[in-house]
């Protein structure tokens, strides 16, 4: 059954994934933005550059964010509170792709939101 203890089981993977995920997001965003700004030098507003940079940041950072979320959720749901045990169970049952369950849905949710946030 559910318990408050189970709700906090996924804190370790959540914390471990948050820093690299954010660093990847902003690193990719800034890199993509600079490359596109250098390639398309103009005095006109370049809202689309910020949109593409935000999309690239989300695509790359989600490669860390999604597995972290899958592990967190599985630790909260399962009877095991061991991160290595939960990780190996996912790999055995679903392969590496199991860590990326929900990757496309995450991108479909996050990219439009980030594009709006960085363009507006």
């Amino acid at each position: 059954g559910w318990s408050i203890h189970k709700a906090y089981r996924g804190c370790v993977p959540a914390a471990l994934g948050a820093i690299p995920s954010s660093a990847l997001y902003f690193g990719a965003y800034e890199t993509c933005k600079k490359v596109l700004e250098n390639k398309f030098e103009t005095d006109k507003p370049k809202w689309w550059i910020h949109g593409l940079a935000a999309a690239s940041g989300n695509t790359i950072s989600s490669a860390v964010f999604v597995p972290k979320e899958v592990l967190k959720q599985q630790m909260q749901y399962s009877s095991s509170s061991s991160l290595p045990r939960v990780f190996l169970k996912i790999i055995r049952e679903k392969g590496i792709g199991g860590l990326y369950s929900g990757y496309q849905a995450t991108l479909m949710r996050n990219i439009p939101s980030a594009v709006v946030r960085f363009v507006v």
Side-chain angles (χ1 to χ4, degrees):
W2 187 89
S3 71
I4 194 73
H5 175 70
K6 276 188 170 184
Y8 286 97
R9 276 191 188 157
C11 285
V12 171
L16 292 175
I19 294 169
S21 178
S22 294
L24 282 170
Y25 179 87
F26 287 106
Y29 173 83
E30 288 297 328
T31 301
C32 183
K33 186 178 79 162
K34 286 178 186 171
V35 166
L36 291 171
E37 284 174 339
N38 290 336
K39 184 153 180 75
F40 299 100
E41 292 181 30
T42 179
D43 292 334
K44 294 179 183 179
K46 299 176 230 163
W47 58 267
W48 59 274
I49 287 177
H50 294 279
L52 282 174
S56 73
N58 262 287
T59 303
I60 292 169
S61 69
S62 291
V64 172
F65 175 79
V66 171
K68 175 222 22 143
E69 282 297 303
V70 168
L71 288 167
K72 179 190 79 158
Q73 291 168 10
Q74 288 301 309
M75 287 180 74
Q76 290 170 335
Y77 176 75
S78 77
S79 59
S80 175
S81 61
S82 165
L83 178 60
R85 205 171 289 140
V86 169
F87 175 81
L88 291 173
K89 182 177 188 255
I90 293 169
I91 298 298
R92 267 194 313 271
E93 292 177 2
K94 300 178 183 175
I96 288 288
L99 294 171
Y100 290 91
S101 297
Y103 182 75
Q104 290 176 337
T106 298
L107 294 180
M108 288 171 56
R109 179 194 67 199
N110 290 354
I111 288 176
S113 168
V115 168
V116 168
R117 190 173 43 247
F118 280 92
V119 169
V120 173

